[in-house]
Amino acid sequence: MPKKPPKAQETKEKILKQSAALFNQFGYAGSSMSDIMRVTGLQKGGIYNHFKSKDELALQAFDYAIARATQRSLIALKGKHHAIERLQALIVEFQNILDDPPIAGGCPILNTAVESDDAYPALRQRVQTAMDNWRSLIGKIVNKGIAKGEICNSVESDVVATVLISTIEGAVMLSKLYGDITHMHRAIAHLNEYISCLGIK
């Protein structure tokens, strides 16, 4: 496939950035083409010049949002070598979803998972893949920690991933619902204690 010229690529990235924020705040079903035209400042033809359909735009916009979130997580892990320290760094980054989200509207996985039911199978598959990658990252940290003697060998990596993700996402939901970050602070305190208990004393 021929590479897009710099101007065309710049326009496509602008559409992805603006649409990702729109979908993350108002949902795929709740965002019309008129809304997309409004936030991007482009006419329908200008948008369809880069994306065949709204469905294709939604999938690529979700990928864009996840790439931004993943980049933030990798930056948080940089320079952290001990498994416990790496897990705690991830928790701090997850907390930033509320204070400074990678995409306006909060966690794209949580927001899209709520909406992507049977009506949007392709989007649902994208969310599952993103969640699989998130679980895999946590699992690799835990398993490497076990191999290095930093985490108890009785710990199950997938259990840790479930506890961390479900607690964080639940805290994000509660904090947004009530407009009260106390729920996130409580979850972070609990998870830090939980993570500390995974280490070998």
Side-chain angles (χ1 to χ4, degrees):
M1 181 180 291
K3 196 171 184 179
K4 285 181 177 290
K7 183 65 177 177
Q9 186 60 35
E10 184 180 320
T11 301
K12 181 176 181 179
E13 288 179 8
K14 175 189 173 184
I15 296 170
L16 286 173
K17 180 179 180 180
Q18 302 294 347
S19 299
L22 179 70
F23 293 144
N24 202 39
Q25 292 176 88
F26 302 103
Y28 171 73
S31 301
S32 65
M33 277 305 300
S34 296
D35 293 323
I36 298 169
M37 290 161 58
R38 174 177 52 79
V39 298
T40 60
L42 297 171
Q43 295 301 310
K44 188 180 293 186
I47 296 168
Y48 284 147
N49 187 43
H50 297 277
F51 304 95
K52 295 177 183 177
S53 64
K54 181 187 171 188
D55 287 351
E56 182 181 280
L57 173 55
L59 293 175
Q60 292 193 36
F62 178 75
D63 289 345
Y64 174 87
I66 293 303
R68 291 286 302 274
T70 300
Q71 182 183 37
R72 288 262 297 260
S73 294
L74 294 177
I75 290 172
L77 291 174
K78 194 173 182 180
K80 310 291 192 305
H81 302 292
H82 194 286
I84 298 299
E85 184 184 25
R86 287 170 70 79
L87 290 174
Q88 289 172 333
L90 280 182
I91 294 303
V92 171
E93 180 50 42
F94 297 156
Q95 181 177 2
N96 292 338
I97 289 173
L98 289 177
D99 302 327
D100 181 26
I103 296 291
C107 177
I109 293 180
L110 174 63
N111 293 342
T112 311
V114 170
E115 184 182 25
S116 62
D117 55 15
D118 294 338
Y120 308 110
L123 194 55
R124 181 186 179 92
Q125 182 58 52
R126 278 295 212 285
V127 178
Q128 288 180 344
T129 298
M131 182 62 80
D132 286 344
N133 291 337
W134 192 5
R135 292 172 58 200
S136 177
L137 173 61
I138 294 171
K140 286 177 181 176
I141 293 173
V142 172
N143 287 330
K144 190 172 181 179
I146 293 172
K148 292 170 63 180
E150 298 167 351
I151 290 179
C152 299
N153 58 17
S154 60
V155 172
E156 295 181 44
S157 60
D158 200 44
V159 172
V160 176
T162 297
V163 171
L164 265 58
I165 293 171
S166 59
T167 303
I168 285 293
E169 294 291 29
V172 170
M173 184 273 291
L174 284 170
S175 296
K176 288 182 68 176
L177 179 63
Y178 290 105
D180 185 356
I181 202 169
T182 300
H183 302 288
M184 177 60 78
H185 291 323
R186 290 170 179 164
I188 294 297
H190 170 74
L191 288 178
N192 276 323
E193 184 176 346
Y194 169 75
I195 291 170
S196 295
C197 291
L198 301 176
I200 294 177
K201 307 300 182 184

